Amino acid sequence: MQSKLFQKDFTLLVIGQIISLFGNSILRFSLSLYVLDVTGSATAFGSILAISMIPTILLSPIGGVLADRVNRRNIMVCLDALMALVCIVFLTVVGSDHIVFLVAGVMIIFSIIQSMYQPAVQSSVPILVESEHLLQANGVVAQVNALATFLGPILGGMFYGFFDLKAIVIVSTIAFGISAILEVFIRIPFTKQAFNGNVLDMVVTDLKQALHFISKDNPIVFKVLLVVAGLNLFFSSMLMIGLPYLIKIQLGLSSQLYGIAESILAIGAIAAGLLIGVVSKKYSIQNSYVFILLGGIVLIPIAIVSGLDVHPMFAYVVICLSTFLCLASVGIFSIFAQTFIQTETPTAMLGKVSALVGTIVMCSYPLGQSLYGVLFDRFSNQVFVIVLFAIIVEVLLAILTKRYLVKLQAKPLNAVNE
């Protein structure tokens, strides 16, 4: 009898993720808007958002170690319950004279919790689904994350306009509580790993083991990881910096139209998750480099309209369509890459390896954004040069990826190693 993707445990995991991530995203955005209202300072608004992301980047590897050392189900239950408790405590201090600092503290705490929470979720997926469904399962998780990123701020802004902050905090508290209750019923196989040293030694040893596995034991994993980081560094960062510059500065269009274009980034990621089940029937990790190449090709129309004197709305439509196709293509490759890394990683190392991969990928974003900030200033009158640069890099990455994966032609994706 053929197994199904949405077995009970995976279904509960996805539902819990939807509730928890949306509750988190809505609350975080509402809290930042509250700071903006209280202080009237865009600097405070932006600073709190930026600072609250730092713990996620720095502590995710530790979260990965935790995910391999502790029952992942218990991690998710405890952290969702902890977020609910933090919300309850925060309700007692809303309206305080030091509310800005308290909001910053809450958002940092949430960021720390997320750094521990996400590795547990990501490393649970290959354990909860059969190997033939792993691509689709990763696609579903990618859709949930993209939807929370896309709709969370929109819903947060709407709720904040209609309700006061206390009501939003109460709703988020309930969401975290429901998520924790659902996660209690998830059964995730767990084998305890022995270690006789102290906690610090354990963390250092585990992270060294994960780094050694990626760089020495299975170098193809490291090469695939570098490709994903390279895509974020040279491609995703270009769109993040380039979209506002092209639409607001070069084309002189409104912030509303820019907002719509920005949402295309998330919609492209959602489309990748939806399409992965279809494309996996004809493509595999061995020939997934095609989607990197396609992502570069569909950027060509952006280079053309940014170098010609065309009607702003025509250029806008071309930019939006190309961005959507590009994000969907690269998103499909990213799901293939994530699935490949999971299948090559022993079960006992899934948490720390996935966390290290995520940290390296996240670090590529600020580097890329800094690079393209300089490039857009330097070539402000020749934006097409920057887009062409991104296209060339993406094509080169596709060629390198093909070379990396040639040796896998005779090697199918394995089930997760024991």
Side-chain angles (χ1 to χ4, degrees), residues 82-352:
L82 179 58
M83 285 194 286
L85 179 61
V86 170
C87 288
I88 292 171
V89 173
F90 180 72
L91 280 171
T92 65
V93 297
V94 174
S96 164
D97 292 338
H98 305 290
I99 190 63
V100 174
F101 297 102
L102 293 170
V103 167
V106 168
M107 292 184 70
I108 290 172
I109 291 171
F110 274 19
S111 183
I112 294 171
I113 291 174
Q114 283 300 110
S115 72
M116 307 294 165
Y117 188 90
Q118 285 306 311
V121 172
Q122 291 165 0
S123 59
S124 296
V125 174
I127 299 173
L128 293 179
V129 301
E130 298 294 336
S131 58
E132 65 265 26
H133 296 308
L134 187 53
L135 266 173
Q136 292 92 325
N138 282 323
V140 170
V141 173
Q143 288 177 65
V144 171
N145 279 278
L147 278 170
T149 301
F150 172 47
L151 291 178
I154 295 174
L155 293 175
M158 289 174 57
F159 292 164
Y160 189 76
F162 288 105
F163 308 104
D164 62 13
L165 183 62
K166 282 190 175 182
I168 297 172
V169 176
I170 291 171
V171 170
S172 295
T173 304
I174 295 171
F176 295 137
I178 293 173
S179 181
I181 292 171
L182 287 174
E183 289 159 352
V184 168
F185 298 98
I186 301 175
R187 296 182 62 186
I188 303 175
F190 171 69
T191 302
K192 188 174 181 180
Q193 301 178 44
F195 192 85
N196 297 321
N198 58 48
V199 174
L200 180 60
D201 289 340
M202 180 187 72
V203 171
V204 172
T205 299
D206 280 13
L207 291 180
K208 284 182 177 178
Q209 182 186 19
L211 283 170
H212 190 273
F213 169 78
I214 293 173
S215 60
K216 303 294 184 183
D217 296 342
N218 205 330
I220 188 64
V221 169
F222 182 64
K223 291 176 181 178
V224 171
L225 168 59
L226 287 181
V227 171
V228 176
L231 288 172
N232 287 326
L233 177 65
F234 293 106
F235 158 72
S236 299
S237 298
M238 188 276 290
L239 290 177
M240 288 180 181
I241 301 299
L243 274 181
Y245 190 90
L246 282 168
I247 293 170
K248 292 179 64 65
I249 306 299
Q250 190 173 61
L251 300 180
L253 298 176
S254 67
S255 297
Q256 288 84 352
L257 287 173
Y258 163 63
I260 294 172
E262 187 75 18
S263 68
I264 298 295
L265 296 173
I267 295 174
I270 295 168
L274 289 170
L275 292 171
I276 192 67
V278 176
V279 301
S280 62
K281 296 176 182 178
K282 294 184 178 181
Y283 294 89
S284 64
I285 183 63
Q286 289 89 348
N287 55 11
S288 59
Y289 67 88
V290 169
F291 296 100
I292 303 177
L293 186 62
L294 181 61
I297 291 172
V298 296
L299 280 178
I300 294 175
I302 297 181
I304 293 173
V305 298
S306 63
L308 298 176
D309 185 17
V310 298
H311 192 280
M313 284 306 300
F314 174 77
Y316 174 78
V317 171
V318 169
I319 290 169
C320 287
L321 182 60
S322 293
T323 299
F324 169 77
L325 293 174
C326 199
L327 263 294
S329 298
V330 174
I332 288 171
F333 172 78
S334 296
I335 295 172
F336 271 115
Q338 180 184 10
T339 303
F340 171 72
I341 292 172
Q342 288 172 340
T343 57
E344 291 294 308
T345 303
T347 300
M349 298 176 65
L350 277 169
K352 44 188 169 280

Side-chain angles (χ1 to χ4, degrees), residues 284-289 401-402 405-406 408-413:
S284 64
I285 183 63
Q286 289 89 348
N287 55 11
S288 59
Y289 67 88
T401 304
K402 182 180 180 180
L405 300 179
V406 161
L408 298 175
Q409 284 294 338
K411 181 182 179 184
L413 285 180

Side-chain angles (χ1 to χ4, degrees), residues 24-25 28 32 45-61 104 106-115 118 149 358-359 362-363 365-366 369:
N24 194 319
S25 182
R28 284 167 61 89
S32 2
F45 171 76
S47 297
I48 287 179
L49 280 176
I51 291 171
S52 67
M53 290 302 298
I54 294 174
T56 301
I57 297 175
L58 296 180
L59 299 180
S60 285
V106 168
M107 292 184 70
I108 290 172
I109 291 171
F110 274 19
S111 183
I112 294 171
I113 291 174
Q114 283 300 110
S115 72
Q118 285 306 311
T149 301
T359 299
M362 279 191 290
C363 287
Y365 280 114
Q369 290 167 354

